[in-house]
Amino acid sequence: MANQRPQAQPQQPQPLPQHAIERIQGMRGAQGQRFFTSDLSVKEYLLIRESGFEAAGLVMGSSIYHVGYQRGNWSTNMEMNVLTQALYHARELAMARMEEEAHELGAHGIVGVRLKIRQHTWSTDLLEFIAVGTAIYPRDDKQNWRAPNGRPFTSDLSGQDFWMLLKSGFRPVSMVVGNCVYHVAHQTLGGWFKTVGQNVEMTNFTQALYDARELAMERLQYEAQSDGASGVVGAEIFEWTHGSWDPHVIEFFAVGTSVLPIAVTEALPTPQLVMTVDS
Amino acid sequence: MTAQAPPARPPRAFTSDLSIDELLLVEEVGFEPVEFVFGTSYFHTGWVPAAWTENFELTQVSAMMLGARRVAMQRLLAHAQQLGADGVVGMRLDMEREGHNAEFTAYGTAVRRRDGKGAAWHDRHGRPFTCDLSGEDFWGLVRGGFRPLALCHGVCVYHVAHKSLGAWFSSLSQMTMNMEQPQFTQALYDARELAMQRMQWEAGDAGGTGLVGVEVRESSHGWEGHIIEFVGVGTAIRPIDDATHEVHEPPQVVLFAADAPSPG
């Protein structure tokens, strides 16, 4: 069960809004007349070019999602699968749209992907999921940097990290995520009496949070493996609770970039020691 | 001073909000600071009636919010031009709102080419360039073979539908369901795309081949929560045509002696 992705359906190409299509056409331009936008800093932009890539354009996807209601059992540690599914599916939709924008741009991948969740004041039961990143393509059009499934690769790497990763002989495959919404049991009165005034580990709570994190990471790992990647770099695990949830309900969200070794690697130059003058 | 006169060194000292590192780097690529310049505009953002049950753009408000920013930037640019500057670095645009009035202020440091060949650095309409790049980023960009043209904006003010009574009742029955809300998704997605598209137009108009450091900001500015302003901001750039321009070497891997990497 833990090995299942919360949602089994394959990622469908998502339809794009009218202005997205117009904007992408504007960036593709006529033959050889590309125009790019990017949220890369100047340094990142230069490093992307240094790695043999060009920025294709800023790409974005969004999904406004109604997250269903699920009641957690007061005294039980349990995963809230309805909420896990909702948050996973909504992110997937936003990311699939962003990927579709990159695909339309003819890009081979997306760097610097950021996932954001917003709650708007006008409707508290809706959450907006936004994915933003910069689509890039190799200057040498004989190269193919797309993910094994033929879609653009995705990664949350900065321009600096991307450059370093390539230099050290790896390429990004996809941004992988795993999540788990967990209900942490309330302590029973009996349990409170047993532990009051003592130094003791709250095994109940430890186990719940430990388990939830492991589930999120396991799913992230599963995503990476099914993408055919050899590993995940920069994995991070976040936890947050949504404003209108019971505070005992927590989402653990793991995100990272899966990578594959490149056949031909140039040796990474030996790092040099530099002492900066400013503190 | 006529426009044709060679830019004589002004007898007074320059002012700038550049840090020491930034100043040295700006000087290093052949520029000198002239003066700290700014421009302001004061606008009545008005009251926007909004109790509709539809999603749509408030086109007049969009135009006004863009216009207010443009006026502030034009005033800054006029000041820079008067000083004989070739561009403005570290430009930023602040907005301060008091009730229904908003003051837009653009700040930046006007810089001038030391070799007097500043005209090659102006945008397609012959105006001095503007950018929100720090001195470090400006140096990096120029050394990388690009030059900034203009700080570009795109604005879209959007009204998100209120739920009708019928929709509210049907939402009760959906309370336990996980589902996407396509009408809202579409609306906000579209609004962001519009803001970005308009920013792209501005960049194309300035003669840019691309935009770096793009950000899409959103705010309700104290309007009702259903009205959201999306603003795309970024610096338009293009390659330097001058064949004699020196492009710097590939970056080196560096280990810092301090634990935390120094900024930049």
Side-chain angles (χ1 to χ4, degrees), chain A residues 23 66 82 97 101 118, chain B residues 178-180 189 193 218:
Chain A
R23 188 173 72 89
H66 179 270
V82 175
R97 283 173 191 143
E101 285 199 12
R118 281 207 49 170
Chain B
N178 282 332
M179 56 195 310
E180 196 186 12
Y189 201 152
E193 292 283 355
E218 37 196 279

Side-chain angles (χ1 to χ4, degrees), chain A residues 43-72:
Chain A
K43 286 189 193 94
E44 289 182 280
Y45 175 65
L46 296 174
L47 284 170
I48 293 287
R49 282 179 52 88
E50 171 61 28
S51 334
F53 286 83
E54 287 290 337
L58 188 65
V59 287
M60 183 184 67
S62 140
S63 171
I64 298 189
Y65 209 86
H66 179 270
V67 177
Y69 177 78
Q70 188 179 15
R71 204 184 145 77

Side-chain angles (χ1 to χ4, degrees), chain A residues 239-243 245-251:
Chain A
E239 43 191 271
W240 67 292
T241 176
H242 176 32
W245 291 349
D246 173 350
H248 277 243
V249 177
I250 306 169
E251 184 189 26

